[in-house]
Amino acid sequence: MATLEIQVPDIGDFDEVSVIELMVKVGDTVKADQSLITVESDKASMEIPSSAAGVVKELKVKLGDKVKQGSVVLVLEAASAATAPVSEPKQAPAPVAPAQTAPVSVATSAPAAAAAASGPVDVRVPDIGDFKDVAVIELMVKVGDTVKVDQSLITVESDKASMEIPSSAAGVLKELKVKVGDKVNIGDLLAVLEGTAGAVAAQPASAAPAPVAGAAHVAAPVVTATVAAAPAHNPTTAPVGLPHASPSVRKFARELGVPLEELKGTGTKGRITQDDVQAFTKAVMSGAAQTKAQAAKAPASSGANGGSDGAALGLIPWPKVDFAKFGPIERKELGRIKKISGANLLRNAIMIPAVTNHDDCDITDLEAFRVSTNLENEKAAKSGNSASAVKVTMLAFLIKACVSALKKFPEFNSSLDGDALVYKNYWHIGFAADTPNGLMVPVLKDADKKGVMQISQEMGELAKKAREGKLSPAEMSGATFTISSLGGIGGRYFTPIINAPEVAILGVCKSQMEPVWDGKAFQPRLMLPLSLTWDHRVIDGAAAARFNAYLGQILGDFRRVLL
Ligand code: CAO
């Protein structure tokens, strides 16, 4: 098999350009016309294609090298049939714009020059080489703008190249005849200018069809955001707002749906490389990164406040108030736990169609039992039996009672998974704990297998760990249902937020003596306020009312737990 040297073809006006990207490596099989390297001048970048098919044997350039027409890019072991002569770079298959290509900056609308003096001037797509039906990807001017001769008006892109189309005249832009996404060809009307006298392009060099030399000049293979082919280009026509990436990288990104403008390029001068696109895609797929569109769709994940403006929900912006205008202020960042729990609470509050049922239950006898048990335990502890020193809490009874209710109403112990409901045959109960760092939810595992005493003891330990910030992730995960008790603090009822992916949560407030009618007279009874919040996608109102009623019956007479 023959080996070939692949050289830099005629790249027009570029004398010495830097190699900024190597697109193949030794051992790669390349096709004819496949881009090998990207080179860049101060005004344009372009991909240099292979003039033959084969396997890369040796790379003759490295990043940062300066190359020009005739420089050897690499040595190829040519695939016989696909080999093209390479000795003369100009004859190498021109990657995108073959040798007969005319200067891209040339407005073919020669009449434009004649129409210079005043009145409307049509600006048309000049000869852009072999390109057919190239897509408009960017409008660089808008109606009302004053445009100079050779100022770039739009950017077009084929699958291999992108280029800016300059104006053949100066004037005020009256009408833009294309929009992003349109396909254009040579001669298509781009814009109408209100010509400024004497300001129309009359440069013969750029207004006339290119001579052969000119053709070679514009055979710039693949030009990104090019002005390279504009003999009298405006040097400031660098791409506006377009990510710095080669056409093939942009095509690659388009295929994957990667928003290039959100990427930070790691290539020379911040250029976005194929590796950058791949890394971004991997990060998004693994959940390590989000596109802006994703972030907008999932406001809960963007911080405790779920993003600053709620725009994704169609909400008006969050009010911005200069509080200092009204009095002295102090600003303190939210703690880590508040930030994490805030984001979770917001998601759960927004995403779950939650309903809360409030109820009261009579815990007079239970509280009497609890108090007497604790007295007995205290006595036993004093007599040296330290195992009995555990204080039995109302919350421990509530946990036990809830397990009983969850077993009777299993959907309360389930989770939604798409269109399916996952019923859990274990009963791990989370309980909200107020800590100096914020709300934490330790999980009491296998509450169904434990007695009230053991639950009280474990809860005490977990609550202590929570306050000391020593809970392990395992001690905070796996809950199937949560209880939030404000009983030790006060209040009547509240609407707790479900701890997704659980489907219900019980809020408990402070019990108090109330007059309760027994059919004959009012009796003083200790009433415990319960607030059950439930996910209406899983649970119906009737089931919630039954759950509360059942819970009340158990707490009213704890012997029912045994039934
Ligand atoms: N009604 C009346 N009194 C109650 C009660 C109730 N429902 N629940 C508890 N009490 C009493 C207790 O009996 C105890 O009184 P004594 O000291 O006289 O025995 C006192 O209130 C303190 O109880 P406690 O709150 O320390 O203990 P607990 O087992 O009830 O609760 C824990 C433990 C960790 C849940 C609690 O300390 C806590 O952090 N509660 C706050 C939870 C919270 O923040 N929820 C809101 C979440 S939404 O933001």
Side-chain angles (χ1 to χ4, degrees), residues 370 391 393 395 431-434 439 459 463 467 484-489 508-511 528:
R370 188 186 77 85
K391 183 179 158 190
T393 64
L395 194 48
F431 62 97
D434 183 28
L439 175 68
M459 260 182 48
R467 283 191 291 271
S484 176
S485 172
L486 292 171
I489 303 167
V508 182
C509 280
K510 194 176 177 70
S511 59
L528 180 72

Side-chain angles (χ1 to χ4, degrees), residues 345 363 367 370-371 374 391-396 398 431-435 438-442 456 459-460 462-464 466-467 482-491 494-497 505 507-512 526-530:
L345 288 165
I363 58 161
E367 176 62 2
R370 188 186 77 85
V371 170
N374 280 338
K391 183 179 158 190
V392 178
T393 64
M394 183 52 71
L395 194 48
L398 278 162
F431 62 97
D434 183 28
T435 81
L439 175 68
M440 312 225 40
V441 185
S456 293
M459 260 182 48
L462 287 168
K464 184 166 177 279
R467 283 191 291 271
T482 295
I483 302 178
S484 176
S485 172
L486 292 171
I489 303 167
F494 69 115
T495 54
I497 294 172
I505 182 170
V508 182
C509 280
K510 194 176 177 70
S511 59
Q512 56 186 40
L526 187 65
M527 303 303 288
L528 180 72
L530 301 176

Side-chain angles (χ1 to χ4, degrees), residues 458-473:
E458 286 187 19
M459 260 182 48
E461 288 162 7
L462 287 168
K464 184 166 177 279
K465 275 191 176 181
R467 283 191 291 271
E468 291 169 353
K470 289 185 181 162
L471 281 176
S472 68

